[in-house]
Amino acid sequence: LSCIHSIDTEGKDLEETEINGTKALVSYNDEESIICWTDSEYSYLISGDIPKSDIIRMANSLITTN
């Protein structure tokens, strides 16, 4: 699993998940969620004051085009 972004994990839970077939890291607590992942071409990071389930759903909704 590779994520070139530095994500804040202090006081947060950290777990692996999968975004459109690619491994991702999600860091979260009751106040904030951050997810990052890298595909063969791009690196992605989404963060916000939203629940973990919502940030994962947002990440899975991204569609890459060439």
Side-chain angles (χ1 to χ4, degrees):
L1 176 60
S2 174
C3 189
I4 65 168
H5 301 283
S6 294
I7 60 172
D8 179 15
T9 59
E10 186 174 341
K12 296 182 177 83
D13 292 323
L14 182 67
E15 64 184 55
E16 284 188 24
T17 189
E18 209 169 276
I19 302 300
N20 297 323
T22 302
K23 289 184 181 179
L25 286 176
V26 61
S27 175
Y28 62 95
N29 61 19
D30 291 339
E31 299 173 7
E32 179 184 31
S33 297
I34 304 166
I35 191 166
C36 69
W37 71 101
T38 301
D39 65 16
S40 61
E41 198 168 342
Y42 298 101
S43 180
Y44 305 89
L45 182 134
I46 302 172
S47 66
D49 300 334
I50 59 175
K52 175 184 79 166
S53 59
D54 289 346
I55 210 147
I56 291 171
R57 188 169 53 248
M58 287 174 63
N60 275 308
S61 73
L62 293 177
I63 300 171
T64 58
T65 59
N66 295 330

